[in-house]
Amino acid sequence: MRTIRPAWLIVVTVVLAVLGWVGTVLSSRASMALPVLPLSSLITMGLIVVVCWILGLKVRRWRDGKRDKELDPLLAARTVVLAQACAYAGAVLFGWHLGILLNQVPTISMRADLGIVWQLLAMMAGGLCMVATGVVVERFCKLPPDDTELGAEPKEKRETHGKEGYA
């Protein structure tokens, strides 16, 4: 499994910012409301972050040597997948609401109520929390490299002669 690539998080954020901006333009042309998530979705985002942290800390505690109980490898794999999904979902939410905010910047001074701006900023902050949680929890699940004795030569990879090296 590959680790989270920060460049991909940035690409996802930029693409969704463009899509959010376009969605806002299209919805305003059709006289529809802004396509912003309600503030109640912050509760769901917070629950995802908390669950991700709890599972990540459990894996990290086992990795750091507190091995009272055996760690289920499936739990560890699911924790990594949850962390990656959390990071990418956070990038999507941050980018989407950033695009809407960028579209609304010229009209902010004309608004009597700045509630929508605060709502956009709250959703962007929630997205950033999800990205940070995903990246950190994924790091919790990495095993340290195997230690080799001083002076010992690392083992060479065996040749596969065109075949994939699966177990």
Side-chain angles (χ1 to χ4, degrees):
M1 183 179 312
R2 289 190 165 180
T3 61
I4 294 173
R5 308 222 182 219
W8 278 109
L9 290 174
I10 293 169
V11 167
V12 167
T13 301
V14 169
V15 167
L16 265 294
V18 169
L19 290 176
W21 186 82
V22 169
T24 305
V25 169
L26 294 176
S27 68
S28 65
R29 284 185 185 172
S31 299
M32 296 172 64
L34 289 176
V36 179
L37 286 176
L39 285 175
S40 61
S41 60
L42 287 172
I43 295 169
T44 306
M45 294 164 68
L47 287 174
I48 292 169
V49 166
V50 167
V51 168
C52 195
W53 273 106
I54 289 170
L55 294 174
L57 289 172
K58 186 175 183 178
V59 172
R60 188 183 85 172
R61 199 170 29 249
W62 183 86
R63 182 200 68 186
D64 289 345
K66 294 184 181 175
R67 298 182 178 161
D68 303 335
K69 297 179 186 174
E70 193 168 318
L71 180 69
D72 182 17
L74 192 56
L75 174 73
R78 287 179 178 163
T79 303
V80 172
V81 171
L82 175 64
Q84 290 179 350
C86 186
Y88 284 112
V92 165
L93 291 169
F94 179 79
W96 178 262
H97 291 93
L98 177 65
I100 296 170
L101 182 65
L102 291 176
N103 180 273
Q104 294 298 305
V105 165
T107 64
I108 288 177
S109 62
M110 294 181 260
R111 290 185 179 271
D113 180 26
L114 294 178
I116 193 70
V117 175
W118 291 113
Q119 186 175 353
L120 287 167
L121 291 173
M123 298 313 274
M124 289 170 56
L128 280 179
C129 286
M130 288 181 74
V131 169
T133 296
V135 169
V136 170
V137 168
E138 185 196 37
R139 302 282 188 260
F140 287 172
C141 297
K142 280 189 175 182
L143 290 174
D146 292 333
D147 292 334
T148 58
E149 294 178 21
L150 292 177
E153 295 292 322
K155 294 182 182 179
E156 292 184 27
K157 291 185 179 179
R158 56 182 189 165
E159 304 235 357
T160 58
H161 300 292
K163 297 179 187 175
E164 293 292 326
Y166 296 112

